Amino acid sequence: MNRTIRSLEVAAVAGTIAIGVPAVSTAANASSAVANASSAVANASSAVANASSAAASCSAAAAYYDAAPTSANLAMIRTAVYCLIDAERAKVGLRPLTRTASLESAAISHAAAAASIRWWTPGANSHNNPRTGSTPHSRITAAGYCPNPVSWAYAETTYTGWGGGGTPRAAVNWWVNVSTYGHRQIVLSPTLTDDGVGAAVGSANPAGGSGGGTYVVDFGRCQR
């Protein structure tokens, strides 16, 4: 299978700015407290709604955990990978990752290119496209993830398999339980907060047979 790439972090020192604010009346303070309470309730309701929506999507995606990608099921295959990753994180007490459109766009483009070019032979660098020269950094930043950050981090995992090994469950299991190249540490990172999943039909290894699938997950953390 394919090795994980370098995880890279760029950080800058953040300053603190103190701002003087005139005193406000008790009534104004009370109004502000009510507004803050209302906002907290709204945020809590939104979190519950999001959790319910994620649970519903994972319930539907469970039927695709052991399915190979096809042109008709790619969206559900990607959802299956998201759900399996979050399930592994939950086992060790970690929060689910936030599904992020820019990271997903970067991952989808790389998975599609890999399944088309098929350069993931043993020992090859599965993260750098040999035709375009793209790297995880160039793809993730081009997709618009975390512009002008105070600090940020990213990582990428890749997997391809076939003959029963091209499924979402096979990919996540390999990253978490089989690989010795640092994939587990990325998937179960307590500091990475976002992810985007790409999946493609067929194996990215030219030796791959039927039932193939190719997977890329881009992870990130963004402080702005």
Side-chain angles (χ1 to χ4, degrees):
M1 303 305 174
N2 297 290
R3 292 171 293 181
T4 190
I5 105 159
R6 322 109 178 167
S7 179
L8 179 69
E9 180 170 352
V10 179
V13 176
T16 301
I17 302 175
I19 302 176
V21 180
V24 295
S25 67
T26 301
N29 286 337
S31 298
S32 176
V34 170
N36 289 339
S38 299
S39 177
V41 170
N43 289 340
S45 298
S46 176
V48 170
N50 289 339
S52 297
S53 176
S57 67
C58 287
S59 178
Y64 296 86
Y65 287 176
D66 297 306
T70 69
S71 59
N73 71 7
L74 281 177
M76 292 306 297
I77 290 289
R78 289 196 302 272
T79 300
V81 176
Y82 282 119
C83 295
L84 287 165
I85 286 174
D86 284 344
E88 292 293 341
R89 291 175 62 84
K91 290 178 184 178
V92 296
L94 295 173
R95 295 172 60 87
L97 297 167
T98 300
R99 302 176 189 182
T100 305
S102 54
L103 292 176
E104 183 174 280
S105 176
I108 288 173
S109 68
H110 190 54
S116 175
I117 301 172
R118 308 186 79 192
W119 79 88
W120 293 6
T121 55
N125 185 338
S126 61
H127 304 280
N128 292 357
N129 185 313
R131 291 190 183 175
T132 66
S134 76
T135 66
H137 179 275
S138 70
R139 292 188 295 271
I140 289 169
T141 54
Y145 180 70
C146 201
N148 304 313
V150 172
S151 69
W152 75 301
Y154 70 84
E156 181 175 88
T157 60
T158 64
Y159 173 89
T160 194
W162 59 92
T167 68
R169 195 192 303 272
V172 176
N173 179 67
W174 191 80
W175 290 327
V176 174
N177 298 313
V178 179
S179 168
T180 59
Y181 298 112
H183 294 79
R184 178 181 177 87
Q185 288 75 12
I186 293 173
V187 173
L188 303 182
S189 169
T191 59
L192 294 171
T193 57
D194 308 322
D195 67 345
V197 173
V201 180
S203 171
N205 186 327
S210 62
T214 295
Y215 299 88
V216 176
V217 184
D218 286 326
F219 299 82
R221 174 184 57 77
C222 179
Q223 180 183 353
R224 299 175 62 189

